[in-house]
Amino acid sequence: MNRIVDGLIAVVVLAGMAGTALAESGTVVDKQSFDTRLAGFGKVRFVSHLDRSKGPGKCRFELQRGGRTIYRFLKPHANDWSCEEITGVAFADVNGDGRKDVIVMATAITGIGPTAARPFNANTIYYNTDKGRFVSVAAVNTLASKHDSVGKVRRALVKSPYAKILPK
């Protein structure tokens, strides 16, 4: 789905599947996994995974209840390269709809060229919709990746032209 506001085009990516069990490998990142309450899901555990077993690092995220996966998020921005580290996770209403969204702070590397091993921010914002799923906006993730803290990301989004088109 694309939206056009003030001449800007933002691609909205559906970002997850409900009720799908994961059979992927990867290490749970305990320090970036949290119990929380999310509208449409209730009390859940947000679980972060980082997998470096098959080449470039890939991170993935899911919601669990009672140790069972009830929702998995699709590809985060960091997986466009090699995810190095999940540096933070926050739950906050970014778009003003009253539902907590998920902000994932991560670093990635390109793996090629003179800056191959130099980490850079590759953040993802998953917007909690009223339809029991999360969506992500590629252009907003690019903007969010210019910042290294949740507070800075939130302030940048409020001031950006994208504030008018954030998913609700």
Side-chain angles (χ1 to χ4, degrees):
M1 162 173 55
N2 293 337
R3 294 184 184 180
I4 302 176
V5 173
D6 294 337
L8 298 172
I9 297 176
V11 178
V12 178
V13 179
L14 295 183
M17 299 176 68
T20 305
L22 295 177
E24 299 175 40
S25 62
T27 302
V28 171
V29 182
D30 288 323
K31 68 180 183 177
Q32 299 302 342
S33 297
F34 304 95
D35 292 326
T36 189
R37 283 192 181 278
L38 296 170
F41 296 93
K43 186 177 178 183
V44 292
R45 180 145 182 92
F46 179 89
V47 181
S48 299
H49 299 266
L50 182 57
D51 183 0
R52 290 193 184 103
S53 67
K54 299 173 188 150
K58 299 296 177 191
C59 50
R60 62 185 173 90
F61 308 98
E62 64 191 20
L63 298 179
Q64 293 182 354
R65 185 177 299 120
R68 183 175 176 269
T69 299
I70 61 166
Y71 187 89
R72 69 176 176 175
F73 295 80
L74 291 181
K75 184 182 94 163
H77 192 50
N79 285 1
D80 288 346
W81 303 278
S82 177
C83 183
E84 281 299 292
E85 183 179 8
I86 302 164
T87 58
V89 174
F91 307 96
D93 181 8
V94 176
N95 56 356
D97 64 359
R99 291 183 295 276
K100 288 182 193 172
D101 305 304
V102 180
I103 304 168
V104 175
M105 309 290 288
T107 58
I109 60 170
T110 63
I112 58 171
T115 60
R118 187 177 303 149
F120 56 90
N121 296 332
N123 304 326
T124 305
I125 300 173
Y126 293 108
Y127 296 97
N128 189 348
T129 72
D130 61 355
K131 297 180 177 37
R133 65 180 185 214
F134 289 83
V135 298
S136 185
V137 180
V140 173
N141 292 338
T142 299
L143 173 65
S145 295
K146 295 179 180 180
H147 305 283
D148 60 2
S149 75
V150 171
K152 289 178 185 176
V153 167
R154 290 180 76 188
R155 285 189 295 278
L157 291 177
V158 167
K159 295 176 184 176
S160 81
Y162 297 111
K164 297 175 185 175
I165 62 167
L166 296 178
K168 302 251 185 210

